[in-house]
Amino acid sequence: MKIAADFSKRVVVHSESLDWLASPMKGVERRPLDRVGAEVARATTIVRYAPGSAFSPHVHTGGEEFIVLEGVFQDEHGDFPTGSYIRNPPESSHTPRSQEGCIILVKLWQFQPEDRTHVRLQTGKMARVKLINHTGVEITPLYKDHIEEVSMLYLQPNASIELDTPQGAEILIIEGELQEQQDALVKRSWVRMPTESRVNGTAGNQGATVWLKTGHLTDVDKQINRLPSTE
């Protein structure tokens, strides 16, 4: 299966306009943003857990990264409310569930195979610092290695941001609105920008909170090649 699989192109998805698709587990539904592969895939997806739903125990051979957009995600490692940012590295395992229900953005098979770093952060409790050369824009760093960097950006009303992203970028609107180039991005709009691109946006009258990931799109071919040939 391939969805938005041409990584040389800019892709915009207003995820709230997509239908929810059933997953193999009852009560868990998905809105795919990009995907290469069948049930085991390099994938970026909005996932919704109905109250009381759960996945069976499983190993994330290629790693799992997610941010909780709504509700409370749970597994044997804890309860993770809205704003939690989690990285479960390759070969980690868990049994995900949600008693009250939740919505998450999840990315699979996009780790370096040697990565064994667990990350469990609550972004709402973390410090913000002013983004250099940007008025009305603050940033909370979430993760950085030699390939990628992940952050939360907080734009005050009508604040602008310009960032060169030579190694590609993804953004997800967490709250508010952002005019990015010709696109009016609203809550849960997602944009994937190819290499040698630039983020150029202006927040709406209510400001904007934006999840930003950069650097990783130079590694896409290797990520896809790491997928199991048969599973």
Side-chain angles (χ1 to χ4, degrees):
M1 179 185 297
K2 292 186 177 181
I3 298 172
D6 186 346
F7 291 87
S8 68
K9 295 181 178 179
R10 185 175 183 271
V11 178
V12 179
V13 180
H14 303 292
S15 70
E16 293 288 79
S17 68
L18 300 178
D19 293 332
W20 289 105
L21 306 176
S23 81
M25 300 303 293
K26 183 179 179 180
V28 181
E29 299 174 306
R30 303 184 286 202
R31 286 172 167 165
L33 303 178
D34 69 13
R35 191 175 190 91
V36 177
E39 191 55 39
V40 176
R42 184 211 180 273
T44 304
T45 313
I46 304 288
V47 178
R48 179 172 69 179
Y49 284 74
S53 61
F55 252 96
S56 55
H58 57 269
V59 175
H60 283 292
T61 308
E64 173 194 54
E65 172 187 24
F66 66 91
I67 185 165
V68 181
L69 305 176
E70 182 179 315
V72 180
F73 176 94
Q74 298 166 299
D75 63 15
E76 59 268 46
H77 305 296
D79 293 355
F80 303 102
T82 300
S84 298
Y85 174 70
I86 310 298
R87 292 176 68 94
N88 294 320
E91 305 304 332
S92 61
S93 63
H94 68 159
T95 306
R97 59 186 174 85
S98 182
Q99 186 60 38
E100 71 173 55
C102 68
I103 298 175
I104 64 175
L105 170 76
V106 60
K107 299 177 70 64
L108 300 173
W109 281 92
Q110 297 175 47
F111 281 63
Q112 298 303 299
E114 70 277 7
D115 189 350
R116 294 295 181 270
T117 303
H118 288 269
V119 175
R120 300 184 182 112
L121 302 175
Q122 174 54 35
T123 62
K125 297 181 179 180
M126 298 177 66
R128 307 177 188 180
V129 297
K130 182 182 180 297
L131 187 62
I132 297 174
N133 299 325
H134 287 79
T135 301
V137 182
E138 296 177 319
I139 185 170
T140 296
L142 301 179
Y143 179 80
K144 184 177 182 179
D145 63 19
H146 66 288
I147 295 289
E148 66 186 63
E149 187 168 358
V150 185
S151 307
M152 292 289 286
L153 300 176
Y154 303 91
L155 285 74
Q156 294 180 6
N158 306 308
S160 295
I161 184 168
E162 295 185 11
L163 295 173
D164 289 322
T165 54
Q167 296 172 314
E170 288 179 49
I171 63 175
L172 179 76
I173 307 303
I174 304 297
E175 295 288 349
E177 298 181 4
L178 185 75
Q179 183 71 33
E180 206 288 315
Q181 299 184 38
Q182 74 275 21
D183 294 295
L185 307 177
V186 296
K187 184 175 180 177
R188 296 183 192 160
S189 294
W190 173 81
V191 183
R192 190 187 70 209
M193 302 175 184
T195 58
E196 304 305 328
S197 58
R198 182 177 179 84
V199 176
N200 188 348
T202 300
N205 292 333
Q206 302 301 313
T209 301
V210 179
W211 180 84
L212 171 69
K213 184 181 179 79
T214 62
H216 59 303
L217 294 179
T218 57
D219 195 52
V220 167
D221 290 342
K222 292 180 180 178
Q223 294 169 1
I224 293 170
N225 288 337
R226 292 181 193 122
L227 290 170
S229 56
T230 57
E231 271 197 50

